[in-house]
Amino acid sequence: MDLIGLLKSQFLCHLVFCYVFIASGLIVNTIQLFTLLLWPINKQLFRKINCRLSYCVSSQLVMLLEWWSGTECVIHTDPQAYPKYGKENAIVVLNHKFEIDFLCGWSLAERFGVLGGSKVLAKKELAYVPIIGWMWYFTEMVFCTRKWEQDRKTVSKSLLRLRDYPEKYFFLIHCEGTRFTEKKHQISMQVAQAKGLPSLKYHLLPRTKGFAITVRSLRNVVSAVYDCTLNFRNNENPTLLGVLNGKKYHADLYVRRIPLEEVPEEEDECSAWLHKLYQEKDAFQEEYYRTGTFPETAMVPPRRPWTLINWLFWASLLLYPFFRFLINMISSGSSLTLASFALVFFVASMGVRWMIGVTEIDKGSAYGNIDSKQKRSD
């Protein structure tokens, strides 16, 4: 390991990233709270301000991927569709197999200049998580309980609010609902067999209701579905801890632009269309494992400097008072002060490990642990 690689793997560096992210995130959340005063006066101004505040937080994670880790993401797509990316609203359907696939989705949005306004269909519990969850609340993210009778009205209402959103956005959906594991795949294919659906080799059975209601609610506002299929070269198994340690990964992302007019409006037809889409995604993954590449032309969108500039701004603002405080604590020589510092360091260490742990595949959804009867009703 070279000197820079050794430096990137040190916990002190991780602690710095964690501190800057948490401190800046709480500052942004506080500012967002005050922007609520704008909502009854100028809703669109409220939205534009919160898009930029959201970027201050989410771009720090993208910075870790693109600048700290140096992970490369090659996009395989139709050259005629490429100029439209970032110039239109789109529903992004991304496979859900890797710990950092959400980061790759954010990186895609960042490179086309729509990260601040981009949306995701997320679990309602995340709305209560400080920093990310609170940030999402102010940017009108769409939350669901995964109980369709409750979500039918609330999700539709949230989506309809986005029809007059002033910023361009990607709306990211993981239709599989949870990350791929062999255990979940086995249960999912049992459900597919019970429903008379074709088996999938590299994906879980997609959950169609959320996708159908998204298409119906955003029709004539969203121009296309971007079918995104992600994989990594040389059988790499990327993790957030690896990114934090500065490990460089090599991603390939196949993006197909499908005009929304080609997606059926009726729920049953839309469901069948999505199942067919996932069969095609499976075929693309099969080709990737066989040939090491996806179809279409390989392109690398330029890495924008704004994520790095944003992080350097927050670091310069927050690190000096932080280190000065630590030096004063240590130089005081008080046993109580040193014990307090050790406790704070330990809590911070546990916090970093917890933030990493919640992204791990084996800490994901309990998909597959419920009985088949309940799954068949999905």
Side-chain angles (χ1 to χ4, degrees):
M1 180 182 292
D2 58 19
L3 183 60
I4 295 178
L6 181 63
L7 176 66
K8 288 182 176 181
S9 66
Q10 297 306 301
F11 178 73
L12 182 60
C13 291
H14 305 169
L15 191 62
V16 167
F17 281 125
C18 187
Y19 165 72
V20 172
F21 179 77
I22 292 174
S24 63
L26 292 176
I27 291 171
V28 167
N29 286 162
T30 302
I31 297 172
Q32 287 181 307
L33 185 62
F34 284 103
T35 64
L36 285 174
L37 297 172
L38 287 173
W39 180 267
I41 302 170
N42 191 330
K43 182 174 70 173
Q44 300 297 53
L45 178 60
F46 167 89
R47 286 169 155 175
K48 290 180 179 181
I49 290 174
N50 274 283
C51 277
R52 283 141 187 85
L53 290 172
S54 169
Y55 184 85
C56 289
V57 177
S58 56
S59 67
Q60 292 186 47
L61 299 178
V62 176
M63 185 281 297
L64 282 176
L65 182 75
E66 294 187 347
W67 293 91
W68 181 255
S69 163
T71 291
E72 295 178 350
C73 186
V74 177
I75 293 178
H76 302 255
T77 193
D78 181 355
Q80 294 183 351
Y82 185 86
K84 298 179 180 179
Y85 299 158
K87 306 295 192 302
E88 61 185 2
N89 296 330
I91 298 170
V92 175
V93 178
L94 179 64
N95 58 312
H96 203 10
K97 183 175 183 179
F98 305 100
E99 287 185 15
I100 66 168
D101 49 29
F102 75 97
L103 266 183
C104 292
W106 286 11
S107 177
L108 178 71
E110 159 58 22
R111 297 208 177 192
F112 290 108
V114 296
L115 177 61
S118 288
K119 314 296 177 191
V120 65
L121 183 61
K123 294 184 293 185
K124 186 177 181 180
E125 294 84 354
L126 294 176
Y128 306 107
V129 175
I131 304 175
I132 291 290
W134 296 350
M135 172 196 78
W136 280 355
Y137 174 82
F138 286 104
T139 53
E140 300 171 76
M141 208 65 65
V142 180
F143 296 101
C144 65
T145 64
R146 294 185 178 180
K147 297 178 181 177
W148 180 242
E149 292 307 316
Q150 297 180 27
D151 290 336
R152 184 188 298 272
K153 292 183 178 179
T154 57
V155 170
S156 177
K157 186 177 180 180
S158 297
L159 287 165
L160 290 173
R161 288 199 201 103
L162 300 180
R163 293 189 64 83
D164 65 343
Y165 206 78
E167 303 283 331
K168 298 298 181 186
Y169 58 84
F170 290 168
F171 191 95
L172 175 63
I173 303 181
H174 291 295
C175 292
E176 294 162 270
T178 184
R179 287 196 187 103
F180 182 100
T181 67
E182 290 301 327
K183 181 179 179 181
K184 295 172 186 176
H185 180 253
Q186 182 180 6
I187 299 295
S188 180
M189 291 306 97
Q190 291 175 2
V191 176
Q193 185 177 13
K195 290 184 175 182
L197 295 169
S199 294
L200 300 172
K201 187 175 180 180
Y202 303 105
H203 300 85
L204 304 179
L205 194 68
R207 301 182 179 187
T208 61
K209 290 185 174 67
F211 176 79
I213 198 171
T214 300
V215 169
R216 184 165 63 250
S217 299
L218 297 181
R219 194 174 288 277
N220 300 323
V221 173
V222 164
S223 302
V225 171
Y226 293 173
D227 171 36
C228 297
T229 306
L230 176 70
N231 213 322
F232 288 83
R233 298 177 194 172
N234 305 316
N235 294 316
E236 290 176 335
N237 185 25
T239 64
L240 186 57
L241 181 59
V243 171
L244 202 56
N245 284 328
K247 184 175 181 180
K248 183 175 182 176
Y249 298 108
H250 305 83
D252 285 298
L253 184 66
Y254 180 36
V255 182
R256 288 192 299 166
R257 183 186 182 276
I258 305 171
L260 204 65
E261 295 78 16
E262 297 182 13
V263 183
E265 293 193 32
E266 294 299 323
E267 184 173 320
D268 289 344
E269 294 179 1
C270 186
S271 175
W273 184 91
L274 185 63
H275 282 299
K276 184 175 182 293
L277 183 78
Y278 267 78
Q279 292 164 32
E280 294 170 354
K281 290 170 78 71
D282 229 43
F284 296 140
Q285 289 284 33
E286 181 71 33
E287 180 177 352
Y288 185 87
Y289 284 114
R290 182 173 57 84
T291 65
T293 188
F294 284 121
E296 298 290 358
T297 304
M299 302 179 181
V300 181
R303 182 174 58 175
R304 307 196 319 158
W306 306 115
T307 57
L308 181 61
I309 292 172
N310 173 74
W311 189 85
L312 290 174
F313 165 77
W314 286 109
S316 62
L317 183 69
L318 297 169
L319 287 178
Y320 173 74
F322 175 68
F323 283 119
R324 185 171 181 177
F325 171 72
L326 289 183
I327 291 171
N328 288 338
M329 283 184 65
I330 295 171
S331 62
S332 70
S334 167
S335 299
L336 179 61
T337 300
L338 293 176
S340 300
F341 171 73
L343 178 62
V344 170
F345 189 86
F346 175 77
V347 171
S349 173
M350 292 300 101
V352 172
R353 282 163 172 75
W354 176 80
M355 291 176 70
I356 293 170
V358 296
T359 72
E360 293 175 358
I361 289 176
D362 60 1
K363 303 280 183 68
S365 165
Y367 184 100
N369 294 333
I370 54 180
D371 58 55
S372 297
K373 180 178 178 180
Q374 183 176 350
K375 282 303 301 164
R376 291 188 186 105
S377 67
D378 181 28

